[in-house]
Each structure stands twice: as C-alpha cells, then as structure tokens.
Amino acid sequence: TSVRRTIPTLLLMAVATCAMPAQAQVTVMAVRLGASDAARLATFYEAAFGLKEIDRVGSPATEIIMRYGATVAEAKAGTSPEFLVQKREATAARDPMHHAILRVSDIGASVAAAKAAGATVERDVVTVAIGGTPIKIAMLVDPDGNALELMELPTTLTHLPH
C-alpha cells in the first residue's frame, strides 16, 4: 500500500517540478562586509576563522578579498566563497553594506526570475573587468530590503581571477 501511495506522490512532484519556471544555475560566490578599517577587520577574520588574504584594492586597502585555504597559495587556487572586506565611508556608517553575492549562469534570466519573485533592480547589468576578465554584474534588493549582487562569469572560470 505504501508503494501505491509513493508512486502517485512522485509523479505529482515530477509534474510540479516541470511546471516551475526554468532558473539559471546559482551558487553562493561571496559575502561583502563593511569595515571602518578593512585591514584590521581582515586580520580579525584570519585570526578568528582562518581566512587568507588573496587580493587587495588600494593603498591603504579599501577592499581585501579573502578565501579559505591552509596557505595563501591554496586560498588563491581554491574555490570556496570569498569574504570581501570593504572600507565603509564614515558617512555610510548606518547604511548596511553586507550582502550576498551569487554566481549565476545566465544573469538576464536570473534578474528576470528575481524580479518576478518580488526583487527590485538597484543597478542593471553592467560588465566590469576583474583581473582583466569581463564579468557581468547586477545589483538587486530583495523584498525585505537586503542587497543581492549577481555575477555571471565566463564558463571557463571556476572563480574570480585575483
């Protein structure tokens, strides 16, 4: 009797899955955190959680990119999600900077799906060079006001070039 109940349930689940709109493949790419002093906060994340600095922007640093790995070389070669520690301007102290960064396989489809689900577009798709590679980026806001950054990388890349 349980087998008879299971088969219709599986069929119903398969039909429901097929009826859902197609979505692009999505993975967590990074988390961005605001800091009054990016270098000091990066030191905290290395000491507390073992993250390693794999790149930095500016001198003094305005953004430090970190990833997990036993050594800096391992972290650079790795594919774990990144921690982006970015200097927060004093005037933006109350404006949250942290947000999820999602890698998507089709940024246009992902923006459309997010909008259909209730997100608003804060910054439409732009292409920027990161490590000399063109990366498509869009900024969205979810229904609760949380910022989301979508990135589409060339399919040949496993992570951002640093």
Side-chain angles (χ1 to χ4, degrees), residues 13-70:
M13 288 171 52
V15 168
T17 301
C18 291
M20 296 174 66
Q23 294 179 342
Q25 182 181 10
V26 178
T27 56
V28 174
M29 197 167 158
V31 174
R32 187 180 309 275
L33 302 171
S36 58
D37 180 330
R40 188 181 73 224
L41 191 60
T43 299
F44 164 79
Y45 277 99
E46 181 168 5
F49 303 109
L51 288 161
K52 302 289 187 259
E53 179 179 327
I54 62 169
D55 203 1
R56 68 173 44 208
V57 177
S59 182
T62 56
E63 181 176 28
I64 296 177
I65 298 98
M66 306 181 83
R67 191 183 286 142
Y68 287 105

Side-chain angles (χ1 to χ4, degrees), residues 32 86 96-102 107 111 114-115 119-126 136-142 145-151:
R32 187 180 309 275
Q86 185 172 354
M97 179 186 292
H98 54 276
H99 62 276
I101 301 172
L102 304 175
I107 200 162
V111 169
K115 284 173 57 177
T120 56
V121 176
E122 185 173 276
R123 189 177 72 221
D124 209 353
V125 178
V126 296
K136 294 179 184 177
I137 301 173
M139 293 297 298
L140 308 173
V141 178
D142 75 13
N146 297 302
L148 297 171
E149 184 172 348
L150 305 182
M151 290 187 161

